[in-house]
Amino acid sequence: MKRGDAMVKQLIMVLLLAGFLAGGCDRTTDDIEEDIKNAEDVGEWIDALAARPDNYEPPTVTSSNQLIEADYKNGTITLDQYYELKLTAALDHDNLDKEYKATFDNATDITSLLRLLSNDFDRLSEETRSKLQPYLLSFDDPQSAWYEEGHPTAEDVLQQRQALIKGPLPDMERPSILGEYFLVTGQAGTERQQEIVLGALQDSYDTFKDLGFPEPTDWIRVRVMDRPGGNNRNYDGVEYFQELLGRDRCHIDIKLSLATATMKATTAHELFHCFQEYMGDNFSLTSPAWVWESTAVWAEEFVYPTANEEHIRDAGHFSQLDWTLLSSNSLHDYNSYLFWFYYYQKNGKTGTQVKSMLGDIYENHNTAQTLMQRPDFYNEFKEYALWNFNQKPFKFFIDTDNEPTIRPFGSSVSHRRITGNTQDVDSVILPAGGIVLYVYTFGPLVDKVVFDLTEIQKDEDNHNGVQVIYEVDERFTYEDVSYRDELAFCRSRTSEEVSSVVFIISNGNLDESDNGSLLSASLPIDATGICVPEWRGYVDYTWSSSGSGDGRTDDMFILGNYESNGHTRVEEKLFFDSYEKEFYATEQYVTHSSHYSWMVEYAEPDTGGAGSWTAWEKKQETKQGSTLLTYDVPDDCPEFSCTGIPKAIKPYGDNETLYVHRTFNFRDLGTYTSKHEIMWVPQGLWLNEVEHTLNVSCPPDAMLLRMSDNGTRMYGEYSTESGIIIAEFTYE
């Protein structure tokens, strides 16, 4: 069955919802959401969305932390009450005050809470300080809330001079008196787990140090154990920064009963927190918890790129796209690690881009403003939004085993079925850094459908992104419509018979403190119109190539490897000059997207000394741009004065069935930044960024089109070494 067969599909959906298929089994909303989340392809995803009940409302999950945060912000509780409640919610949820007892965030790492408590400690009353002081003491201190009777302490080990495995890097400023970087302890019988944790510590330390992160200055205290007290206390891992033996130092707890892969990833996560302690003033950051946790989850991937442990966060991420990006509620700070993965993957997974961005945040302190001040941030964020579509033919996140495999679901996506002769309005409410998908399918009576984009298009500060993916005859097409006032389809035309349209709307203003950061707009849909015949069509150029060398110079340049891919599409409305039998373009909408990268890794020279050498070199550029061009047809055209509008297609000699579509040069589609990076050892990274104006040609060469026998369709197609160019125009 073709997916475009709307009537058959509608009948099947009615039967599904009525419970007549699958043996009459009623399917719950949760079952449908599972289908949406785990759809194999776009078609299955859209079908699953269409199965949602008309009155579907995404589940609202409120955590105890959200309730406490809200009351503190509105002044209902004091700072003292705030920290007492937050600690109770994290560690003793069963005994939390009834009015705050909601969903328990049982995977919450309390590292962020302890950091903030330490920073605010002097602002608390003497009574509260006395009560909460034990939470800020080293877990080796018998007065600490984290102390466990009978567990070996660091002092015990050092006094007995029982060295474990010495740290591999001899330049830590203050290792232990035994020369150790990590003092790892556990109860008798846990030696295997201690060795796993120690190996992961060494893997992670080397990886973070080699990337150039500032190292901890003092040895790190690590404990491997299952804490008593049930799940409320038994987190996978916790990092603390507390005084021990005369120095403030990093402490790490790792859960004993973790599987090996999870234990190693958790160790990498917590050790990255230790490195964060030395990056700068953590407490002066805005959105600190989001910075700490989202990057620490990314660090799991960076140290163990094939383990895929970080992908347990994906379901949370793809169900929370419409949240404030920098939120730390309900694990959103953990789940949004894919924001960093986007930059990490685009930069060749070297980690340098994430390190550079994180360094800028620590230098400038304002997380939202630092990210937004990147030279091409709004195009980057728009592309990041597109990546979160996350399904072929527009799947861009690529990790081991094709992860992530989750599709947008929950409140991240909505669906509306449009029937004939109706007008509807969807309300778009999108907070700072939010992304939302609106999916539309159509009844068989819909002829012309018009989406009014005037309220959701790019605002004066260039924050909003509006992208669309639509399906015609089982083929999906992408367009950036951020600057368009409307998007219209005449479904009675073969080339515009859309069966589904997906809008990807993004709010690139990340600063929640900005009163204008909330996108609140209407998206009207008008399906009452009737189409009139006219010439319309498109030119579509898609290419992809890779190989040795840089792909741009002569064939003799064979160092490294390159990848290049892209897509240019021009949709045109034509005016036919019956006198000259030529076609003129009266409307052209151009969308371009492409990516180029080249990288070479050099072998380490056998110099026998400490000389400088080049470790790797890389170039990359990402281009995105779109524009809408319109031309007025003069009253005396045709026959006279048609030259003010561009000629698109003209006859090929005297042949009445062949036409030539000439090349158009489109300029000023936006700007893009090219980057050239070189890693020198031991000097570090050299980075050169140059901004350019984006210009494209489409078709790249003049191409032949053949007119159909009935004179209502022109079509042409030809292949290049790296891609294919298709042009089609119809009179419908």
Side-chain angles (χ1 to χ4, degrees):
M1 180 185 74
K2 286 185 63 175
R3 294 193 59 256
D5 192 337
M7 295 185 68
V8 174
K9 189 170 156 187
Q10 188 175 26
L11 176 60
I12 289 178
M13 200 56 63
V14 169
L15 291 173
L16 277 170
L17 293 175
F20 292 127
L21 295 183
C25 177
D26 292 331
R27 306 193 73 249
T28 67
T29 301
D30 288 344
D31 293 333
I32 294 171
E33 287 304 299
E34 283 296 309
D35 291 346
I36 297 169
K37 179 175 71 172
N38 300 309
E40 290 291 329
D41 53 38
V42 181
E44 188 175 302
W45 180 70
I46 291 174
D47 288 346
L49 281 166
R52 274 180 175 173
D54 291 339
N55 61 350
Y56 170 79
E57 290 288 339
T60 301
V61 178
T62 302
S63 70
S64 296
N65 280 323
Q66 286 174 289
L67 297 175
I68 297 167
E69 293 280 354
D71 271 7
Y72 178 64
K73 286 182 179 179
N74 64 31
T76 304
I77 57 176
T78 66
L79 185 65
D80 293 57
Q81 293 171 314
Y82 170 80
Y83 279 113
E84 289 191 50
L85 287 167
K86 290 278 280 189
L87 283 165
T88 304
L91 301 172
D92 193 15
H93 191 265
D94 292 342
N95 290 317
L96 186 65
D97 289 355
K98 188 178 299 184
E99 61 185 300
Y100 294 107
K101 190 174 290 186
T103 304
F104 172 49
D105 293 337
N106 64 335
T108 302
D109 184 328
I110 60 172
T111 296
S112 303
L113 177 58
L114 294 178
R115 281 179 171 175
L116 295 172
L117 173 61
S118 176
N119 189 53
D120 288 336
F121 195 70
D122 291 339
R123 298 172 55 198
L124 303 176
S125 68
E126 184 175 349
E127 179 183 356
T128 302
R129 288 201 302 269
S130 176
K131 191 183 300 184
L132 301 187
Q133 177 70 42
Y135 294 100
L136 300 181
L137 297 178
S138 167
F139 53 55
D140 279 345
D141 188 328
Q143 303 302 314
S144 172
W146 315 109
Y147 180 77
E148 296 296 341
E149 186 73 36
H151 191 98
T153 67
E155 192 169 13
D156 294 337
V157 174
L158 293 173
Q159 285 178 349
Q160 296 169 16
R161 305 191 62 80
Q162 295 175 345
L164 298 174
I165 297 178
K166 295 193 175 185
L169 307 171
D171 53 352
M172 176 182 271
E173 187 175 327
R174 283 181 290 273
S176 77
I177 60 174
L178 305 177
E180 296 165 335
Y181 278 42
F182 320 106
L183 205 86
V184 183
T185 59
Q187 296 283 16
T190 65
E191 288 77 13
R192 183 185 69 85
Q193 291 91 337
Q194 291 180 59
E195 289 294 329
I196 292 171
V197 169
L198 187 54
L201 287 166
Q202 293 173 337
D203 290 343
S204 305
Y205 197 103
D206 288 352
T207 302
F208 302 148
K209 176 179 180 291
D210 290 347
L211 189 57
F213 284 113
E215 294 179 71
T217 58
D218 292 272
W219 56 270
I220 297 165
R221 178 73 176 97
V222 184
R223 187 171 61 169
V224 184
M225 62 175 293
D226 280 337
R227 290 196 297 276
N231 288 333
N232 282 14
R233 292 175 58 86
N234 204 11
Y235 294 101
D236 288 358
V238 181
E239 183 267 339
Y240 324 79
F241 197 69
Q242 297 161 342
E243 190 274 335
L244 175 63
L245 301 179
R247 300 288 305 181
D248 288 336
R249 70 181 75 255
C250 216
H251 293 60
I252 294 175
D253 263 340
I254 300 295
K255 186 176 179 179
L256 174 65
S257 54
L258 295 176
T260 298
T262 306
M263 182 174 283
K264 293 167 73 172
T266 302
T267 302
H269 180 115
E270 303 305 336
L271 184 63
F272 191 75
H273 284 321
C274 290
F275 274 75
Q276 288 172 322
E277 303 284 5
Y278 295 88
M279 289 181 194
D281 184 1
N282 283 284
F283 300 115
S284 67
L285 299 179
T286 58
S287 309
W290 183 86
V291 174
W292 296 331
E293 299 303 345
S294 60
T295 55
V297 176
W298 163 80
E300 299 174 28
E301 151 71 23
F302 187 50
V303 178
Y304 296 111
T306 62
N308 283 348
E309 286 294 311
E310 69 280 3
H311 291 294
I312 64 170
R313 310 288 181 186
D314 293 345
H317 171 80
F318 286 104
S319 64
Q320 298 173 350
L321 295 176
D322 58 328
W323 289 29
T324 301
L325 175 66
L326 304 185
S327 167
S328 57
N329 284 326
S330 296
L331 305 181
H332 185 71
D333 41 359
Y334 293 77
N335 298 338
S336 53
Y337 81 95
L338 281 169
F339 175 83
W340 299 104
F341 191 95
Y342 160 76
Y343 286 100
Y344 170 65
Q345 180 179 319
K346 282 195 62 176
N347 199 50
K349 295 189 175 182
T350 64
T352 56
Q353 184 72 77
V354 176
K355 176 185 177 295
S356 174
M357 294 170 67
L358 194 52
D360 290 341
I361 289 172
Y362 272 90
E363 180 179 350
N364 300 325
H365 307 297
N366 190 309
T367 302
Q369 291 299 325
T370 300
L371 292 172
M372 291 164 63
Q373 287 166 7
R374 289 179 54 78
D376 200 30
F377 175 74
Y378 297 113
N379 278 331
E380 291 174 346
F381 192 75
K382 187 169 59 179
E383 184 180 53
Y384 167 68
L386 176 62
W387 281 37
N388 281 283
F389 185 68
N390 199 44
Q391 43 203 319
K392 292 180 178 180
F394 303 102
K395 178 168 172 43
F396 302 104
F397 286 121
I398 298 296
D399 202 7
T400 307
D401 297 331
N402 206 36
E403 292 283 3
T405 58
I406 301 295
R407 316 306 181 199
F409 70 104
S411 63
S412 299
V413 57
S414 69
H415 168 263
R416 179 188 291 275
R417 182 164 179 81
I418 299 174
T419 56
N421 200 34
T422 59
Q423 292 180 321
D424 298 291
V425 177
D426 278 322
S427 296
V428 180
I429 309 294
L430 208 52
I435 300 167
V436 69
L437 290 79
Y438 284 83
V439 179
Y440 300 94
T441 54
F442 307 93
L445 301 180
V446 177
D447 182 10
K448 184 176 185 179
V449 59
V450 180
F451 298 92
D452 184 345
L453 310 181
T454 52
E455 287 195 26
I456 63 170
Q457 64 185 181
K458 280 194 178 295
D459 60 11
E460 60 184 11
D461 294 318
N462 201 35
H463 290 145
N464 304 342
V466 186
Q467 301 169 93
V468 66
I469 294 170
Y470 57 86
E471 179 188 11
V472 176
D473 194 22
E474 299 186 330
R475 183 184 180 197
F476 291 91
T477 298
Y478 162 82
E479 288 187 32
D480 180 358
V481 294
S482 301
Y483 293 99
R484 294 186 68 164
D485 291 333
E486 69 175 31
L487 181 67
F489 296 97
C490 281
R491 298 183 70 250
S492 54
R493 297 174 185 153
T494 304
S495 61
E496 297 182 40
E497 191 181 356
V498 290
S499 55
S500 61
V501 176
V502 181
F503 282 95
I504 304 170
I505 305 170
S506 54
N507 180 358
N509 185 348
L510 308 187
D511 191 353
E512 193 175 11
S513 67
D514 178 359
N515 290 332
S517 65
L518 179 70
L519 171 59
S520 178
S522 297
L523 175 55
I525 309 106
D526 186 350
T528 61
I530 301 296
C531 296
V532 296
E534 61 184 3
W535 278 100
R536 279 188 174 272
Y538 64 88
V539 185
D540 197 279
Y541 177 35
T542 304
W543 71 94
S544 178
S545 63
S546 61
S548 59
D550 69 357
R552 292 186 166 179
T553 55
D554 60 61
D555 294 337
M556 298 300 292
F557 189 87
I558 58 173
L559 291 177
N561 293 279
Y562 81 94
E563 291 184 359
S564 177
N565 58 76
H567 177 233
T568 301
R569 183 179 176 90
V570 182
E571 295 189 356
E572 297 181 335
K573 179 180 178 181
L574 303 179
F575 170 78
F576 181 60
D577 178 353
S578 58
Y579 183 77
E580 295 288 345
K581 299 190 183 307
E582 297 178 344
F583 292 87
Y584 293 85
T586 60
E587 181 179 293
Q588 295 176 306
Y589 185 73
V590 190
T591 300
H592 175 88
S593 176
S594 64
H595 181 69
Y596 166 83
S597 64
W598 166 82
M599 184 172 183
V600 58
E601 295 185 75
Y602 300 101
E604 182 176 353
D606 185 13
T607 60
S612 174
W613 60 283
T614 302
W616 53 261
E617 185 177 0
K618 179 172 59 178
K619 296 179 181 179
Q620 64 173 349
E621 59 191 37
T622 296
K623 303 177 183 179
Q624 284 186 310
S626 60
T627 189
L628 175 64
L629 304 172
T630 58
Y631 309 92
D632 293 329
V633 179
D635 292 337
D636 52 357
C637 173
E639 299 193 32
F640 303 102
S641 303
C642 292
T643 55
I645 51 178
K647 184 185 298 181
I649 304 168
K650 63 180 181 179
Y652 181 67
D654 296 328
N655 194 323
E656 295 183 357
T657 61
L658 288 180
Y659 286 76
V660 178
H661 193 310
R662 73 176 184 85
T663 299
F664 282 101
N665 297 310
F666 300 100
R667 301 190 173 278
D668 300 326
L669 272 69
T671 60
Y672 70 96
T673 301
S674 63
K675 299 178 182 179
H676 184 193
E677 297 174 87
I678 299 176
M679 176 62 80
W680 284 319
V681 178
Q683 285 91 335
L685 182 69
W686 174 86
L687 172 63
N688 184 36
E689 296 184 280
V690 180
E691 190 170 290
H692 311 266
T693 299
L694 175 56
N695 305 313
V696 301
S697 298
C698 194
D701 299 302
M703 63 184 301
L704 287 179
L705 306 179
R706 182 173 293 277
M707 180 70 75
S708 64
D709 292 341
N710 62 6
T712 61
R713 179 177 182 261
M714 287 183 290
Y715 181 84
E717 176 181 325
Y718 75 90
S719 299
T720 67
E721 289 186 3
S722 58
I724 186 169
I725 306 166
I726 298 173
E728 181 179 22
F729 297 88
T730 56
Y731 183 75
E732 292 179 300

